[in-house]
Amino acid sequence: VGSEMCIRDSFTSDPEIADDVSDLFNALTGYSRQRKYNKLLVAPGGMKEALLEKIHREIAHHRREGGGRLVFKMNSLVDKACIRALYQASQAGVEIDLQVRGICCLRPGVPRVSENIRVLSIVGRFLEHSRIYYFHNKGESDLYVGSADLMPRNIDRRVEVLFPIESPELQKD
């Protein structure tokens, strides 16, 4: 049953995500110049802005109601705008946990700058491939997984995709 569930839940029947994937494929093959997607965050051309917006939304929620939290897992954190936004979130009191396997240009634990940011690096024999971006979003979890690290070459110059995990059942795993 466990493996059947894993296989069944590995795909989506969400028509908006299916439309986004079709639009992305058409853009990659040159049949369209699609830049806006319903649910996918696609780089270049929108992923970075969407992630920054979600970080700033978390700051706003935290200032109004408290409980702000961000948890990101990635291989690299280099992008200056993303680092700046994470510093702003920390300064607003948002709790931030980062698992960064490789290079991390953010300095955690700096008083009045990044004291609410914890960075954990787990280096193993194999390169980690899962990237996970969790936004508490007032208890309405916003969770994305995909291929993008927060570095300019990934979010500004390469095709990368993050997709939402919307099922509460899958989010808790």
Side-chain angles (χ1 to χ4, degrees):
V1 173
S3 62
E4 286 176 12
M5 190 167 182
C6 182
I7 292 169
R8 186 190 73 225
D9 292 337
S10 296
F11 299 99
T12 185
S13 60
D14 183 322
E16 287 183 292
I17 291 178
D19 286 345
D20 281 354
V21 170
S22 178
D23 289 341
L24 177 59
F25 179 78
N26 285 331
L28 290 172
T29 57
Y31 286 106
S32 78
R33 295 193 181 271
Q34 184 74 16
R35 305 247 334 146
K36 288 192 92 153
Y37 298 88
N38 296 306
K39 291 189 175 180
L40 295 183
L41 303 183
V42 178
M47 178 187 292
K48 180 177 178 175
E49 294 75 12
L51 291 171
L52 291 172
E53 181 275 322
K54 290 176 186 304
I55 293 169
H56 289 293
R57 179 190 65 190
E58 198 68 27
I59 293 168
H61 289 332
H62 182 77
R63 285 184 174 147
R64 282 193 305 274
E65 301 171 24
R69 183 148 167 74
L70 302 170
V71 180
F72 295 172
K73 179 183 180 290
M74 67 198 90
N75 284 341
S76 302
L77 175 57
V78 177
D79 185 78
K80 291 177 184 178
C82 292
I83 291 169
R84 246 182 265 115
L86 291 169
Y87 284 153
Q88 291 169 352
S90 174
Q91 292 163 10
V94 174
E95 292 294 319
I96 303 167
D97 286 299
L98 305 173
Q99 290 182 20
V100 185
R101 182 191 184 279
I103 188 168
C104 180
C105 294
L106 178 145
R107 289 189 52 211
V110 176
R112 296 181 309 282
V113 176
S114 59
E115 58 197 20
N116 293 308
I117 302 175
R118 286 161 303 283
V119 176
L120 176 65
S121 178
I122 300 173
V123 178
R125 197 169 141 204
F126 301 104
L127 182 64
E128 291 291 321
H129 285 284
S130 57
R131 279 68 166 196
I132 304 168
Y133 298 91
Y134 168 81
F135 304 85
H136 180 66
N137 192 28
K138 297 189 310 185
E140 297 292 323
S141 297
D142 205 359
L143 179 66
Y144 286 83
V145 298
S147 61
D149 288 312
L150 299 183
M151 50 193 318
R153 82 165 187 221
N154 289 79
I155 56 179
D156 294 332
R157 296 189 296 273
R158 282 198 326 206
V159 176
E160 302 279 356
V161 175
L162 295 174
F163 60 91
I165 302 294
E166 296 174 323
S167 162
E169 244 180 71
L170 294 176
Q171 285 185 356
K172 70 181 177 186
D173 291 340

